[in-house]
Amino acid sequence: MTDRLDPAVAAVRKAVRTAVDASVHSGHLAVAVSGGADSLALAAAARFVTARNGIRLHGLIVDHGLQAESLAVAEKTAGLLRELGLDEVRVLRVDVTGKGGVEAAARRARYTALRDALPAPDALVLLGHTRDDQAETVLLGLGRGSGPRSIAGMRPLDPPWLRPLLDLPRVTTRAACHALGITPWEDPHNADPAYTRVRLRAEVLPLLEDVLHGGVSDALARTAAQLREDTDALDQIAENLVPHKGNTLDVEELAAHPPAIRRRVLRRWLLAAGVPELTDQHLRSVDALIGEWRGQGGVWLPGGLVAERAHGRLSLTASA
Ligand SMILES: Nc1ncnc2c1ncn2[C@@H]1O[C@H](COP(=O)(O)OP(=O)(O)OP(=O)(O)O)[C@@H](O)[C@H]1O
């Protein structure tokens, strides 16, 4: 493997080194590897960086068991990681069950398995999301009318997750693998037009690039970063207004804030009280107790709680 002068390898290493230097304070680091180009380039760069500062690098591969060849892909990927010299490599077998589509269930199972496999309580897990993934997430969110939380995209650091490649395009990880002599696995899903994301990638983004004369992924990633700054600021303001757990809310005080703040306060208040799976509809109904008050009754919430307004205060009680 001759990689010293390759610019793609250098770019991936630089991104990983910057992220590791800024955020890794543990002697252990994990890297989640699907076998695709992004996470293999990430793992190779992480090995290079951690070898220099004595951090133990753990490779984690999730086998969702959804395709006949999934175990073989996982074992082959494990072999590649061992060749790269990772300190420990584990294949995590998960059962994909539960609500929603298979994709969503697989994602839930994957993140749970990765969290459970953390090599130390303060260890982080590197993920190989690139700038293109970020751009696709933002564009999908815009097209679906999602809220700012979705359009703000993925965070570079969201413990235990660390995403060093969010500023790099996918072509760089492919080029890095090529330069290192690593053959990535091509997920057949990535070519299946039945998936919205695949069509967005293959049809929509190239057209947008053409119409806008390039730079679209970079621009969408910038939009996400700006929105993150704004939403973080609003979140911080709301955070300071949330009463301690179990306390009621003063309606007049809340009504003085714009909806963007008010709903954030309500969301935090309800989540802290243990309301599971809070939907936007629930939040709007509780908010209506403030903004559209006409003496309506309580709002029934998941988890057996009811939000009620009485004597100028909002309270939560267990439903009978
Ligand atoms: N089977 C897997 N085993 C281990 N890590 C994985 C696996 N699949 C994905 N990952 C990690 O997640 C990163 C993103 O992968 P991918 O883009 O396929 O995820 P996704 O399906 O878009 O879901 P999400 O964006 O929510 O992670 C990969 O670069 C890799 O780090």
Side-chain angles (χ1 to χ4, degrees), residues 32-34 38-39 42 60-64 103 107 110-111 114 126-129 133 154 197:
V33 184
S34 63
D38 302 336
S39 49
L42 175 70
L60 301 175
I61 303 151
V62 179
D63 173 13
H64 301 95
E103 289 287 297
R107 179 175 293 129
R110 177 163 73 244
Y111 281 108
L114 291 171
L126 298 169
L127 297 173
H129 294 104
D133 295 312
M154 295 171 277
R197 207 177 252 269

Side-chain angles (χ1 to χ4, degrees), residues 26-301:
S26 164
H28 296 266
L29 178 65
V31 55
V33 184
S34 63
D38 302 336
S39 49
L40 280 175
L42 175 70
R47 173 66 300 180
F48 182 81
V49 170
T50 54
R52 298 189 149 198
N53 50 16
I55 297 172
R56 270 183 79 78
L57 185 63
H58 305 251
L60 301 175
I61 303 151
V62 179
D63 173 13
H64 301 95
L66 292 173
Q67 292 143 352
E69 74 280 13
S70 74
L71 183 60
V73 171
E75 293 296 353
K76 183 160 180 267
T77 306
L80 276 172
L81 296 185
R82 289 192 187 100
E83 272 175 40
L84 285 171
L86 268 69
D87 296 295
E88 199 189 314
V89 179
R90 288 177 63 191
V91 174
L92 312 168
R93 179 69 201 258
V94 297
D95 279 326
V96 176
T97 49
K99 278 190 290 184
V102 174
E103 289 287 297
R107 179 175 293 129
R108 270 199 309 272
R110 177 163 73 244
Y111 281 108
T112 303
L114 291 171
R115 241 181 225 285
D116 290 348
L118 280 184
D122 60 345
L124 296 175
V125 183
L126 298 169
L127 297 173
H129 294 104
T130 62
R131 191 176 74 190
D132 296 271
D133 295 312
Q134 186 75 305
E136 289 160 15
T137 303
V138 175
L139 201 56
L140 269 178
L142 286 170
R144 287 174 169 157
S146 307
R149 200 184 306 274
S150 303
I151 301 163
M154 295 171 277
R155 288 173 183 279
L157 175 63
D158 180 14
W161 319 117
L162 181 60
R163 300 182 175 93
L165 309 185
L166 278 182
D167 287 333
L168 289 183
R170 200 173 281 141
V171 287
T172 303
T173 61
R174 291 194 174 278
C177 283
H178 183 72
L180 293 169
I182 297 172
T183 308
W185 170 64
E186 299 290 345
D187 184 345
H189 281 161
N190 288 343
D192 185 347
Y195 291 95
T196 308
R197 207 177 252 269
V198 171
R199 292 195 60 195
L200 196 80
R201 190 176 296 166
E203 299 170 37
V204 180
L205 273 162
L207 185 63
L208 208 54
E209 289 279 351
D210 188 30
V211 171
L212 296 175
H213 309 296
V216 170
S217 290
D218 188 28
L220 287 167
R222 280 205 309 278
T223 300
Q226 284 168 23
L227 249 165
R228 260 195 319 274
E229 270 187 28
D230 289 6
T231 51
D232 282 353
L234 292 172
D235 284 346
Q236 192 55 57
I237 294 170
E239 193 68 51
N240 297 334
L241 294 169
V242 185
H244 290 298
K245 194 168 184 273
N247 283 4
T248 57
L249 286 168
D250 186 314
V251 170
E252 215 174 295
E253 208 179 297
L254 262 183
H257 294 285
I261 301 288
R262 213 164 67 204
R263 292 201 185 152
R264 280 176 162 81
V265 174
L266 288 175
R267 170 183 283 280
R268 281 168 172 67
W269 181 61
L270 294 170
L271 289 176
V275 178
E277 297 180 27
L278 185 66
T279 64
D280 284 347
Q281 183 54 50
H282 291 127
L283 204 56
R284 271 198 295 277
S285 304
V286 178
D287 191 40
L289 296 174
I290 301 166
E292 294 154 48
W293 178 243
R294 43 187 164 68
Q296 64 263 47
V299 176
W300 292 66
L301 297 161

